[in-house]
Amino acid sequence: MPMDQTMILGMFAIVAGLLISLYGLLPRSANALASRMSQLEVNTLDDVKISSAHVGLLIAMAFAVTIDVMKPTTLAFVMPGMSLEYNLWSPINPHATVPVSLIALAAITGTVLGSVLWGCLGDRIGRRASILYAGIGFIATSICGAMPSFTWNLAMCLLMGMCVGGMLPICYTLLAETMPAKYRGALMVLIGADVAGAYVITSWLAAALVPIFSWRILWLIGLPTGLALIALNRWIPESPRFLVATGRDADAHAVMARYGAQIKEIPIPAAALDDHWTELFRGTFLAHTLVIIWIGFGSGLVLFGLNLWMPTNLRQIGFSDADGILRNAALWGLPSTFIVAWLYGAWSSRKTIILLTSVITVALFAFVFLGGSLAGDRLLVALLMVVPICGVSSLSAVVSVYASEIYPTHMRARGGGLAAASTKLGGLVVVALVSSGLATPSTQSIALVGAASMTFASILALIILIETRSRRLEQLAERGSLQTERQ
């Protein structure tokens, strides 16, 4: 059907509604968040036992992260139907000229922008408000499923990507500031590595609904999932550390009591808060920020460059059951998520990052050197694919968790947003190159670039990163603490 004026007016109304909602969430005083540090101390939050309030928050965050990860995962399932309906270039429609991968380019560009934007929002309006605002965004951008025009679909998917991109770092930030230090790392990695679960749900929905309602139903699902996320708000309290850092002492007392902790009335010298992104690149934070960006970029490069086109590449070398190979690899690698979470929380955060980057490097070099010989060994291909499917996803989660631990409260959301944006940026570069050249990257070329990137990441992590396991956030956030002895 044609794109009429009523549809265009409706889309502008959606964007206006999002802007008005954001205005309603902004603090009434422009300097409310940057005026002072509260004269209270919240270290007792790190010493409490896991309670029902913690469990409720974990379940709510697991649901939020699953919804978040489902959005980019859906791209793989909508592109085949979209390429046929809009007559776009893809392996199943090779005679067209406009590439269907432009939809992935728009969505990933949105996630990069969203990670940066939501990092600012998380430090400006709060962690809880930012998560609920993302839910509003999911509802608004579900309109992608009703777009007759591919051009308008690109515009709305860019907006959808912006809403999706900010959810994960804000969830990490809220969990980091509420979970006891003893369990913080392991629980956050488990929640953040829920890629396999999201993939299972998305593939099941695609198999059950797309044959009946077409690819558009996968976008329209954003409406009920966004409503469900907002309905969970009673189990998503604001971060006590954020409340204390912004002077909302009474609210902080109430939330701390909910978690079985109390605020100690210990005076802390007042200090003005720097509300700029540049603080992430100053002093002792500079080296850590650069390492986080590099690891995130490298993991995104491998995740999007290798995984997104692996089904096509496997078919080209003779594996007609490519989907079955990748499914087996995902199932075999699923237990590694729990292993990585245990290593990060019980062994060492720093050493876990070094170990993951090293293992990924070895697997990628195996793809490089084995090359065409993989065509005759289905089992070996499946075993090697465990690393880019599960290992790289775990590394992305671990890096984002690490970023949410090392920065101070007033800039923690921006630090997490930067880590998430770096991961998406690697994918953006790969998708942009493919969209411009209409060529599917070979497994060996992507593996070689990824292996070189991961090798350098391992060296940087070994030299610069510090240990965060079981350490209080206030201790880690001190500028001098980033220069302490590595454990």
Side-chain angles (χ1 to χ4, degrees):
M1 60 184 294
M3 194 77 177
D4 60 26
Q5 293 182 347
T6 304
M7 293 180 179
I8 297 175
L9 178 62
M11 285 188 292
F12 280 110
I14 288 172
V15 175
L18 288 172
L19 294 176
I20 294 171
S21 298
L22 177 59
Y23 176 78
L25 290 171
L26 292 175
R28 295 181 180 179
S29 172
N31 299 318
L33 300 189
S35 59
R36 67 182 181 90
M37 288 289 286
S38 176
Q39 304 297 296
L40 301 174
E41 201 265 1
V42 295
N43 281 347
T44 54
L45 193 62
D46 286 314
D47 301 324
V48 300
K49 296 181 179 180
I50 294 291
S51 65
S52 58
H54 290 102
V55 174
L57 177 60
L58 284 170
I59 294 174
M61 291 299 95
F63 182 81
V65 169
T66 300
I67 295 175
D68 181 78
V69 176
M70 282 175 61
K71 298 298 181 180
T73 304
T74 301
L75 288 170
F77 296 95
V78 302
M79 284 197 292
M82 187 179 289
S83 66
L84 294 176
E85 180 174 333
Y86 291 129
N87 191 29
L88 305 171
W89 183 92
S90 72
I92 62 175
N93 191 26
H95 302 295
T97 55
V98 178
V100 70
S101 57
L102 287 177
I103 198 71
L105 180 63
I108 296 174
T109 301
T111 61
V112 175
L113 298 175
S115 296
V116 176
L117 174 62
W118 251 255
C120 293
L121 287 178
D123 289 331
R124 177 72 173 164
I125 67 176
R127 296 30 167 153
R128 177 177 179 270
S130 298
I131 291 172
L132 297 179
Y133 187 60
I136 295 175
F138 292 163
I139 295 170
T141 55
S142 65
I143 197 64
C144 283
M147 285 294 139
S149 165
F150 180 64
T151 302
W152 280 106
N153 224 313
L154 290 176
M156 293 306 293
C157 283
L158 174 68
L159 185 59
M160 180 191 69
M162 293 178 65
C163 299
V164 170
M167 176 70 79
L168 203 58
I170 298 300
C171 289
Y172 285 142
T173 299
L174 181 57
L175 288 172
E177 294 175 344
T178 51
M179 292 294 125
K182 181 179 179 181
Y183 309 103
R184 183 183 64 225
L187 291 174
M188 289 170 64
V189 173
L190 273 179
I191 295 297
D194 189 26
V195 175
Y199 189 88
V200 170
I201 295 174
T202 304
S203 60
W204 173 75
L205 289 172
L209 300 179
V210 170
I212 303 173
F213 301 104
S214 85
W215 60 270
R216 295 177 178 276
I217 190 65
L218 296 179
W219 288 149
L220 295 174
I221 288 174
L223 175 60
T225 54
L227 289 172
L229 180 60
I230 293 177
L232 289 173
N233 76 85
R234 64 170 296 180
W235 292 282
I236 308 177
E238 185 54 88
S239 161
R241 285 181 165 93
F242 175 81
L243 294 172
V244 166
T246 55
R248 295 162 61 183
D249 299 342
D251 293 334
H253 276 288
V255 176
M256 290 281 282
R258 181 173 180 173
Y259 288 107
Q262 294 182 349
I263 296 180
K264 294 181 179 180
E265 302 287 345
I266 300 177
I268 303 174
L273 302 183
D274 191 337
D275 196 29
H276 300 285
W277 274 92
T278 54
E279 190 177 2
L280 295 170
F281 299 91
R282 295 177 186 172
T284 56
F285 294 122
L286 174 61
H288 286 75
T289 298
L290 294 178
V291 174
I292 289 171
I293 291 175
W294 185 267
I295 296 177
F297 181 83
S299 61
L301 196 70
V302 176
L303 186 63
F304 288 90
L306 201 62
N307 292 351
L308 194 58
W309 285 279
M310 185 55 71
T312 302
N313 289 333
L314 288 179
R315 286 181 173 86
Q316 288 179 342
I317 62 174
F319 291 105
S320 59
D321 60 337
D323 293 341
I325 293 175
L326 298 177
R327 179 202 60 211
N328 292 340
L331 290 175
W332 294 345
L334 189 59
S336 66
T337 300
F338 299 94
I339 296 174
V340 171
W342 178 84
L343 289 173
Y344 190 91
W347 179 44
S348 167
S349 58
R350 173 176 171 267
K351 293 177 182 177
T352 299
I353 294 176
I354 297 172
L355 177 63
L356 276 175
T357 52
S358 301
V359 171
I360 292 170
T361 299
V362 172
L364 293 177
F365 273 124
F367 277 110
V368 174
F369 292 116
L370 292 177
S373 62
L374 292 173
D377 198 330
R378 186 178 187 277
L379 177 61
L380 181 58
V381 171
L383 289 174
L384 289 177
M385 281 304 301
V386 169
V387 176
I389 289 177
C390 297
V392 177
S393 298
S394 295
L395 178 61
S396 299
V398 164
V399 170
S400 295
V401 170
Y402 184 86
S404 69
E405 292 182 305
I406 65 170
Y407 295 110
T409 298
H410 70 279
M411 57 188 286
R412 184 168 291 119
R414 278 170 288 163
L418 182 65
S422 301
T423 302
K424 306 299 190 304
L425 185 61
L428 176 61
V429 170
V430 174
V431 175
L433 291 175
V434 174
S435 298
S436 60
L438 296 180
T440 299
S442 68
T443 300
Q444 284 182 292
S445 61
I446 289 294
L448 180 59
V449 174
S453 177
M454 286 293 109
T455 299
F456 189 51
S458 299
I459 297 173
L460 290 177
L462 181 65
I463 297 174
I464 296 175
L465 297 189
I466 64 168
E467 183 58 55
T468 64
R469 179 179 62 87
S470 298
R471 297 177 66 182
R472 300 180 187 275
L473 295 181
E474 285 71 25
Q475 178 188 6
L476 290 169
E478 294 175 359
R479 288 186 178 271
S481 70
L482 297 184
Q483 298 175 331
T484 58
E485 181 181 356
R486 294 173 182 82
Q487 300 176 5

